[in-house]
Amino acid sequence: MSEGVLNKLELRLGRLHARQRLGIETDHEAQIFGQGINFFHLENWYSIHSVIRTMLKLLGLYGRGRRNAEQIQIRHNHVGSKILPKQFDGFTLLHISDLHVEVSEGAMRRLNEILPGMTYDICVLTGDYRGATFGPFDAALEGLARVRAHLKGPVYGVLGNHDSIRMVPELEEMGIRMLLNECEPISRGEEAIYLAGIDDAHYYRVDNIEKAAAEIPEHAFSILLSHTPEVYRQAAHAGFDLFLSGHTHGGQICLPGSIPITLSSVLPRHMGAGPWNYSEMVGYTSVGVGCAVVPVRINCLPEITLHHLQRI
Ligand SMILES: [Fe+2]
């Protein structure tokens, strides 16, 4: 990595956060590529794709799964709050999660068709832009730039466990304000709500909710973006009112009745997709718009979500 990118990241995130994230990324890649001793892990990784593909073909599900992966649903989630400022009654967030751009060509094509006709105030992206958890990210950024061109108004994002911290300078150059354990007020007239975001808490575990929440006034309405819903307890007890996440893909390949085989998370099953509550906090887990590993969805269609805030 060039000195320039490292300097930019250290200035942007602080020396410790930048070095922790980069250090764990380097360890992760070394593990996958067998540290030059063997390629066992890499072969293993590639075999997952073909094993799943072959199994689905044998079951006669592959073609249907591929078509499902392009059928993006527009879901609506209504969030009522007594402390929402009047100016924000009706405020709408477009939530897009888990694009996995290079694996999800058909879904990206469809997403770019849908986006121009949508109405919302801000857009939030809850991570996993890249297909794999390692390796090049140029194709992911190119595909994301095409999506970004169709988004209106301010766009905010967090990183997922598939993303490299090295993507941050280019993400911000394309006009996505990345929230890396940070918070931004959104103002309307004299009133404001607070939007915070954390770095990946699932694999990298460099999330810092305390830091993200530090500047939020005690009784203000606040939203936390986190790639994974797994930190729901920490978010609720830090006083967040709304928690938006992704990561689980809702299982992606599910049994009839949308019952996930795995959520790839340590999480109560009911928090794996859609709206939920914990303590005083309202949460939402998007099943995502893209696919991981294979571009297939069974009994779990992709989604983008409109969260409508309402003062009650
Ligand atoms: Fe994902």
Side-chain angles (χ1 to χ4, degrees):
M1 189 182 55
S2 75
E3 276 289 302
V5 174
L6 179 62
N7 287 342
K8 261 190 196 174
L9 288 175
E10 288 198 2
L11 275 173
R12 174 73 178 71
L13 306 165
R15 192 170 57 86
L16 212 64
H17 183 179
R19 292 197 175 191
Q20 270 186 320
R21 188 45 145 101
L22 281 168
I24 303 169
E25 282 184 23
T26 309
D27 292 349
H28 177 57
E29 297 216 351
Q31 202 182 7
I32 284 162
F33 289 101
Q35 293 178 299
I37 297 163
N38 62 65
F39 284 91
F40 176 76
H41 301 290
L42 183 63
E43 284 172 19
N44 226 8
W45 182 266
Y46 280 124
S47 72
I48 289 171
H49 301 227
S50 55
V51 165
I52 294 176
R53 201 178 299 125
T54 307
M55 271 174 53
L56 291 169
K57 279 182 180 168
L58 287 172
L59 293 166
L61 293 172
Y62 189 73
R64 193 182 104 201
R66 281 204 72 137
R67 287 191 295 279
N68 286 346
E70 299 178 19
Q71 286 183 40
I72 301 170
Q73 308 293 295
I74 301 171
R75 300 210 186 277
H76 294 266
N77 180 41
H78 296 270
V79 180
S81 168
K82 288 190 176 99
I83 63 161
L84 186 73
K86 269 196 199 121
Q87 298 270 6
F88 288 87
D89 191 23
F91 192 83
T92 303
L93 298 93
L94 170 65
H95 177 193
I96 308 176
S97 198
D98 296 82
L99 289 93
H100 296 290
V101 171
E102 326 88 282
V103 185
S104 315
E105 257 181 58
M108 291 304 107
R109 213 171 25 244
R110 184 73 194 113
L111 180 63
N112 287 332
E113 288 168 6
I114 295 171
L115 287 175
M118 298 196 66
T119 307
Y120 50 90
D121 293 289
I122 64 167
C123 175
V124 297
L125 308 170
T126 47
D128 273 9
Y129 311 106
R130 179 165 63 176
T133 57
F134 61 93
F137 46 76
D138 295 348
L141 289 173
E142 280 165 27
L144 185 60
R146 285 191 286 275
V147 174
R148 174 66 185 94
H150 294 293
L151 295 170
K152 300 164 278 210
V155 182
Y156 300 88
V158 291
L159 293 178
N161 60 301
H162 281 245
D163 303 316
S164 168
I165 198 92
R166 290 168 291 160
M167 294 160 75
V168 168
E170 285 179 68
L171 287 167
E172 295 205 321
E173 274 163 33
M174 65 174 89
I176 302 170
R177 164 72 167 106
M178 298 304 291
L179 294 167
L180 296 151
N181 303 328
E182 294 164 314
C183 179
E184 188 102 315
I186 299 171
S187 302
R188 280 190 161 182
E190 301 282 283
E191 298 178 319
I193 60 172
Y194 292 79
L195 180 68
I198 48 172
D199 197 356
D200 173 54
H202 174 74
Y203 181 79
Y204 291 102
R205 300 175 76 174
V206 282
D207 54 305
N208 189 335
I209 291 181
E210 296 81 356
K211 184 168 175 253
E215 307 287 308
I216 302 174
E218 198 179 342
H219 299 293
F221 183 86
S222 59
I223 305 167
L224 183 66
L225 306 180
S226 166
H227 175 60
T228 178
E230 289 161 295
V231 287
Y232 63 92
R233 288 186 214 91
Q234 293 85 339
H237 295 299
F240 283 99
D241 300 289
L242 177 62
F243 180 97
L244 303 179
S245 63
H247 177 67
T248 64
H249 294 204
Q252 189 175 317
I253 293 173
C254 293
L255 301 172
S258 301
I259 298 165
I261 297 163
T262 174
L263 291 171
S264 303
S265 321
V266 180
L267 194 70
R269 302 283 278 188
H270 75 277
M271 291 181 175
W276 44 265
N277 290 281
Y278 182 79
S279 187
E280 303 286 295
M281 186 178 76
V282 173
Y284 192 94
T285 307
S286 166
V287 304
V289 70
C291 289
V293 188
V294 284
V296 168
R297 282 185 175 263
I298 308 283
N299 297 316
C300 180
L301 295 176
E303 73 169 86
I304 55 176
T305 322
L306 287 167
H307 300 284
H308 304 276
L309 307 188
Q310 291 166 333
R311 185 179 157 92
I312 51 173

